[in-house]
Each structure stands twice: as structure tokens, then as C-alpha cells.
Amino acid sequence: MPHRAGAITVGTDAGRTVVRLRGDVDASLRDEASRALAVALTDGAPVLLDLGEVAFIDSTGIAFLIQCRRACEQTGQACTLRDVPESTRYVLGLLGLDELVGG
């Protein structure tokens, strides 16, 4: 499988902080993920994790989703996932983390 360069960007939309994950979400994005999480927690707005353009996600990417959810819980911010690829849903289910996607 060819590697698709991944990216994590943060923006705002309708009063929410939107964290978009794209391409291969893996260990190469560790620093980018840390910066994105810091930005997402800054203004206290609800956080939306958009996974609609994720081609692949490894354990580092799954850990980022969990870390973001837990950090939002600690700061009282809502955190939801949108457009979760079926392969990612499957992995979250295997790990017993269905609640991350509302399942």
C-alpha cells in the first residue's frame, strides 16, 4: 500500500474547533498531533474530529483520538468524531472504544 502523506489541521466552523485528519495518520504526525491538541483545547469550544479523509490510521493515530477525547472531558469540552472510515470504526470496536464514535 503506498504511503499517503498525512496531515492534521485545526480550524473553526460554526462555533466549533474542527480538527481534520488526512492521509496516513501515523507516528510521523506525532508532533503535529500535539500542536493540534494544544490549539483545540485553547478556546474551550466543542471539538469536532473530522476523519473523512483518513486513508490509514495506526496505533499512534488511535492514541491521538483517545487523548483528545480525554483532554476534552477534563476541560469540559464536547468532543465528537465525524466521517469515521469503516476500517477505523472496526479498530475502535476491537479495542472496546465504540463510545468514541457513538456506537
Side-chain angles (χ1 to χ4, degrees), residues 1-7 21-26 28-29 51-57 85:
M1 173 186 328
H3 184 271
R4 284 185 44 187
L21 292 82
R22 293 189 311 274
D24 290 351
V25 180
D26 56 24
S28 69
L29 297 179
L51 282 69
E53 296 180 49
V54 170
F56 169 81
I57 190 166

Side-chain angles (χ1 to χ4, degrees), residues 12-102:
T12 58
D13 181 40
R16 296 180 298 192
T17 300
V18 179
V19 179
R20 285 192 173 82
L21 292 82
R22 293 189 311 274
D24 290 351
V25 180
D26 56 24
S28 69
L29 297 179
R30 187 169 284 140
D31 291 340
E32 209 170 321
S34 294
R35 285 190 299 275
L37 183 58
V39 171
L41 298 174
T42 299
D43 67 5
V47 175
L48 175 66
L49 297 167
D50 184 340
L51 282 69
E53 296 180 49
V54 170
F56 169 81
I57 190 166
D58 73 358
S59 59
T60 306
I62 296 293
F64 171 74
L65 300 178
I66 295 167
Q67 181 182 18
C68 189
R69 181 61 160 267
R70 287 184 179 156
C72 285
E73 287 173 359
Q74 291 173 353
T75 59
Q77 294 170 258
C79 181
T80 55
L81 276 69
R82 175 172 70 190
D83 297 334
V84 180
E86 194 56 42
S87 59
T88 302
R89 281 183 187 274
Y90 178 75
V91 171
L92 291 170
L94 286 176
L95 296 171
L97 299 169
D98 301 278
E99 75 278 359
L100 285 177
V101 290

